[in-house]
Amino acid sequence: MTEQQQQLEDSSCAVDLSASALPEDKPEDKKDQVQDEVFTTTIEATPEEAKQEPQSGFDCFGFSEALLKTLAEKGYSDPSPIQKAAFPELMLGRDLVGQAQTGTGKTAAFALPLLERLESGRKTPQVLVLAPTRELAMQVADSFKAYAAGHPHLKVLAVYGGTDFRSQISTLRRGVDVVVGTPGRVMDHMRQGTLDTSGLTSLVLDEADEMLRMGFIDDVEWILEQLPKERQVILFSATMPSEIRRLSKRYLNDPAEVTIKTKDQDGKLIRQRAITVPMSHKLEALQRVLDACGGEGVIIFARTKVITLTVAETLEAAGHQVAVLNGDVPQNQRERTVERLRSGSVDVLVATDVAARGLDVERIGLVINYDMPFDSEAYVHRIGRTGRAGRTGEAVLFMTPRERRFIRNLERATGQPIEMMEVPGNTAINQGRLDRLRKRLSEAANEDAANPEESALLQELLQRVSTELELTPEQIALAALNLAIGPNGLLRKGDDDWIQNTQRMDRDRGDRGDRGDRRGERRSDRPARAPEENMQRYRVAVGHRDRVKPGNLVGAIAGETGLDGRSIGRIQIFDNHSLVDLPKGMPEDIFNSLRSLRVMNRELQITQDS
Ligand code: AMP
């Protein structure tokens, strides 16, 4: 065992389960929403060590004086939970799988130990970090540089598409210790022999799920296959789809596992679902969802005050007990409204984001995002209104077909998958109503009479009616049930054909290869719709024969050009070629780099499609 390993095993760092994600860096309100907790091994201090007050929270990981100084200068006083959990493992050179989102301090969690373990005087890179986008690659490289401030001789290089290949080659030739890059560009350098990985000791896959989503997974596997067999692999991912688990099983060696959960998710179970609803049917869909999933308290979030009023009026007309909470409601009335919701005299609250901030009512079983939230932080806040005090909760998100592309961001923000659901049709709703009626009836039949005097009177009443009208007990019971159900009847009879029509249109959209939902792409050669005004259509030489999927094209093009994946437009795949809409005004050098870019082992040979 080396001196460093000994020091670590004896270290006096205990993991504080209540620590916040980033002790110094977050504003108060954000801290509240995304405060993280980590569940990992606790390392106890020996009595002698406990007496020695550490200078900073970073003292006990075996970091060098130079690094401790840099951290102090950056104002980091304590490691975040993911750092506390990862540092000891990574300093020992162990493989690690970390489930954590951006904002948890995950970059420093791997960068600091990797920097500390670098050997000086080596000519070839020792650390390679793969990141899904050019922005993240730049950000990670900048973090490495900042943390290496105490070692000015250390060289960090970011390599990604859309930048000059030659300058990257000459920097690599001069000698680099850490390379951070997008998979496509890294692979190109490796193929050309300009990135020598023979001396590589550690590989980091940052935001692995995002690399999978962008179609980079084959490239990542190719890179992994080329690396020395003795190497450390660190994988970070916000979510853990099965493909990522498979990758981890295959390429990581007995990895330490660290999971960071956001506070709002911790200890709670919120089932998240999303539903595609055209604008024209939102109000009806809302009533159907309430009918099928409502029960206890419900909060419906709408974007504007006007929408809160429209929604509330519609629901009231349909017989719901509704209240509104928006910026126009004076403070004292807001408190009364929340109290009514808490006590159960109101079941449905229709609110705007600002008005419902911090709302804490235990009986909220369902949150409906009637309008898409402004950003993922607002979404996390909204759904956090349910599942309180250890209860389970449900969240349903309404989105128009165009808004579907935002789903991934929301999944990443919560670290949980969002299931798709369909607008409940009459059959499902009526089955639910029947089930609930049966349950209530059984409960009522089983209950002891709360008031024996009233019960005796009611029995007498039943006796009298059945004698006067000569009715059987079943006929009397049916009449009583109808009375309880009320004049609107039990079954929902309204037209629900539109639901099927919407679903069909949705499927067609998927089949046409719209990227909001990458379920499919068409094989036929139907005439294509013209590109949008600010887009130029390009033709690329890969198609169904190469088994290309829209995600492969998005991933490769985004990686090479540095474009945000979302700004890549429509993709249509044909047997021998595909059409891709890209923003107008592509610089010539990027266009040239795309020409030779290989996707599914074939050069794109991109040309403008007139
Ligand atoms: P990341 O999750 O890696 O994107 O980090 C989020 C932000 O937290 C970055 O701005 C880091 O500089 C900062 N950060 C990372 N670790 C710490 C720490 N221990 N204390 C304070 N800030 C930190």
Side-chain angles (χ1 to χ4, degrees):
M1 187 180 285
T2 65
E3 204 178 305
Q4 194 180 40
Q5 285 170 329
Q6 183 67 52
Q7 195 182 353
L8 274 162
E9 295 214 337
D10 296 344
S11 88
S12 60
C13 292
V15 175
D16 174 7
L17 295 184
S18 63
S20 65
L22 291 171
E24 292 295 301
D25 227 26
K26 289 226 167 248
E28 205 49 47
D29 59 340
K30 284 199 177 173
K31 238 186 195 174
D32 217 33
Q33 283 176 30
V34 287
Q35 211 175 37
D36 297 333
E37 292 187 359
V38 61
F39 299 89
T40 184
T41 331
T42 301
I43 308 161
E44 298 290 353
T46 63
E48 296 73 44
E49 284 161 341
K51 278 184 227 138
Q52 298 162 13
E53 275 291 304
Q55 302 290 298
S56 95
F58 290 95
D59 272 2
C60 48
F61 300 106
F63 292 160
S64 64
E65 284 303 319
L67 181 58
L68 291 176
K69 187 161 166 275
T70 305
L71 294 176
E73 279 165 7
K74 280 187 74 67
Y76 291 10
S77 57
D78 281 302
S80 70
I82 191 151
Q83 293 167 0
K84 277 187 188 173
F87 289 157
E89 307 291 354
L90 297 183
M91 285 296 277
L92 291 170
R94 233 185 126 179
D95 284 4
L96 181 134
V97 174
Q99 189 170 357
Q101 297 147 37
T102 307
T104 52
K106 68 177 165 64
T107 315
F110 62 78
L112 304 187
L114 290 181
L115 281 171
E116 287 295 84
R117 287 171 55 82
L118 285 179
E119 279 178 28
S120 56
R122 294 254 222 114
K123 270 274 170 230
T124 58
Q126 298 172 59
V127 171
L128 172 63
V129 183
L130 295 179
T133 61
R134 161 201 186 117
E135 286 73 25
L136 186 65
M138 276 160 48
Q139 209 175 301
V140 172
D142 286 346
S143 297
F144 265 97
K145 285 179 197 160
Y147 298 136
H151 302 280
H153 55 276
L154 233 145
K155 295 279 176 296
V156 181
L157 174 69
V159 298
Y160 41 77
T163 45
D164 186 20
F165 222 89
R166 277 163 303 179
S167 79
Q168 291 174 1
I169 295 175
S170 66
T171 314
L172 284 166
R173 279 212 187 106
R174 284 198 300 275
V176 169
D177 302 288
V178 178
V179 174
V180 187
T182 47
R185 186 51 73 101
V186 166
M187 206 162 90
D188 289 345
H189 276 296
M190 286 170 72
R191 279 215 177 98
Q192 292 190 18
T194 42
L195 172 59
D196 179 353
T197 53
S198 61
L200 207 88
T201 49
S202 303
L203 172 78
V204 181
L205 305 176
D206 197 7
E207 305 204 350
D209 54 349
E210 202 53 11
M211 291 202 264
L212 169 74
R213 188 185 75 83
M214 292 177 76
F216 283 142
I217 214 69
D218 293 343
D219 297 355
V220 170
E221 285 204 48
W222 184 88
I223 293 169
L224 273 158
E225 297 284 354
Q226 318 304 311
L227 300 185
K229 292 290 162 262
E230 284 292 313
R231 78 276 154 124
Q232 176 188 30
V233 183
I234 303 165
L235 183 152
F236 273 101
S237 199
T239 56
M240 282 292 163
S242 55
E243 262 296 273
I244 297 297
R245 289 195 185 283
R246 183 192 66 76
L247 198 80
S248 143
K249 264 210 183 99
R250 174 144 187 215
Y251 294 99
L252 275 69
N253 176 23
D254 183 26
E257 293 193 14
V258 181
T259 300
I260 302 291
K261 295 179 178 172
T262 61
K263 190 183 169 201
D264 272 340
Q265 302 298 302
D266 180 48
K268 299 178 182 181
L269 197 59
I270 301 176
R271 181 182 188 202
Q272 298 176 64
R273 290 189 287 174
I275 199 163
T276 312
V277 187
M279 267 312 197
S280 51
H281 285 93
K282 267 178 109 171
L283 275 169
E284 194 192 333
L286 174 65
Q287 293 183 59
R288 287 176 173 274
V289 169
L290 269 182
D291 212 328
C293 317
E296 276 197 296
V298 180
I299 299 193
I300 299 168
F301 280 98
R303 269 201 179 186
T304 64
K305 293 180 219 169
V306 177
I307 303 177
T308 57
L309 296 178
T310 316
V311 168
E313 277 163 21
T314 310
L315 295 181
E316 215 156 38
H320 292 277
Q321 303 291 327
V322 193
V324 169
L325 206 64
N326 63 31
D328 285 346
V329 179
Q331 188 57 37
N332 56 354
Q333 198 182 319
R334 283 190 201 186
E335 282 156 22
R336 278 206 301 275
T337 303
V338 174
E339 209 30 65
R340 284 171 64 210
L341 183 67
R342 196 169 278 135
S343 68
S345 63
V346 156
D347 279 328
V348 182
L349 184 73
V350 191
T352 53
D353 290 86
V354 177
R357 208 145 260 278
L359 192 128
D360 187 3
V361 175
E362 268 186 36
R363 63 182 284 272
I364 301 297
L366 172 66
V367 168
I368 299 180
N369 292 275
Y370 182 74
D371 291 318
M372 194 66 145
F374 286 106
D375 54 26
S376 44
E377 214 171 274
Y379 178 75
V380 171
H381 172 80
R382 283 178 175 189
I383 69 165
R385 298 312 99 205
T386 182
R388 301 193 80 79
R391 290 170 167 228
T392 54
E394 288 211 38
V396 176
L397 170 71
F398 279 35
M399 53 190 184
T400 59
R402 281 179 161 272
E403 287 170 334
R404 270 202 301 228
R405 61 206 163 104
F406 299 123
I407 278 263
R408 270 298 298 163
N409 289 348
L410 305 184
E411 286 182 326
R412 292 180 66 72
T414 56
Q416 304 283 333
I418 300 179
E419 302 160 42
M420 294 304 295
M421 76 179 269
E422 285 169 2
V423 178
N426 291 351
T427 316
I429 289 177
N430 291 338
Q431 188 56 51
R433 287 184 179 186
L434 264 173
D435 290 344
R436 282 195 296 276
L437 182 64
R438 195 183 56 226
K439 192 163 165 256
R440 281 175 56 207
L441 189 62
S442 316
E443 281 166 3
N446 271 334
E447 262 172 29
D448 289 333
N451 186 336
E453 211 176 302
E454 273 185 20
S455 279
L457 271 174
L458 288 176
Q459 272 176 15
E460 205 182 298
L461 187 84
L462 281 176
Q463 200 65 51
R464 200 164 144 195
V465 175
S466 68
T467 319
E468 277 173 11
L469 301 179
E470 295 179 6
L471 296 173
T472 62
E474 281 80 22
Q475 284 172 312
I476 290 274
L478 257 180
L481 274 178
N482 279 327
L483 203 61
I485 289 164
N488 291 338
L490 177 67
L491 300 182
R492 185 168 191 125
K493 299 192 188 73
D495 172 24
D496 65 357
D497 286 349
W498 65 270
I499 301 175
Q500 264 82 49
N501 293 339
T502 313
Q503 281 161 13
R504 199 170 319 117
M505 273 158 59
D506 232 31
R507 270 194 298 276
D508 290 350
R509 195 177 288 114
D511 291 342
R512 284 200 310 271
D514 267 16
R515 293 195 26 258
D517 167 352
R518 299 192 188 100
R519 264 177 307 176
E521 47 295 311
R522 62 181 198 166
R523 282 182 177 270
S524 73
D525 278 4
R526 269 182 271 162
R529 246 196 287 148
E532 283 176 29
E533 213 176 82
N534 53 345
M535 295 292 217
Q536 166 68 49
R537 180 155 296 166
Y538 293 90
R539 187 186 167 99
V540 294
V542 283
H544 286 304
R545 62 162 178 213
D546 308 297
R547 303 217 187 143
V548 74
K549 298 271 178 297
N552 304 123
L553 286 166
V554 175
I557 293 172
E560 187 63 23
T561 58
L563 272 174
D564 179 345
R566 274 177 298 189
S567 53
I568 297 174
R570 194 177 161 78
I571 292 183
Q572 299 164 79
I573 298 181
F574 301 84
D575 284 336
N576 300 321
H577 73 282
S578 302
L579 298 176
V580 184
D581 295 355
L582 297 171
K584 275 185 178 160
M586 186 191 309
E588 208 184 349
D589 57 331
I590 295 190
F591 181 78
N592 287 335
S593 68
L594 280 183
R595 278 192 65 78
S596 54
L597 181 67
R598 295 182 81 84
V599 176
M600 311 305 285
N601 254 337
R602 190 184 291 277
E603 275 194 4
L604 282 188
Q605 299 283 345
I606 191 165
T607 50
Q608 280 201 12
D609 190 66
S610 47

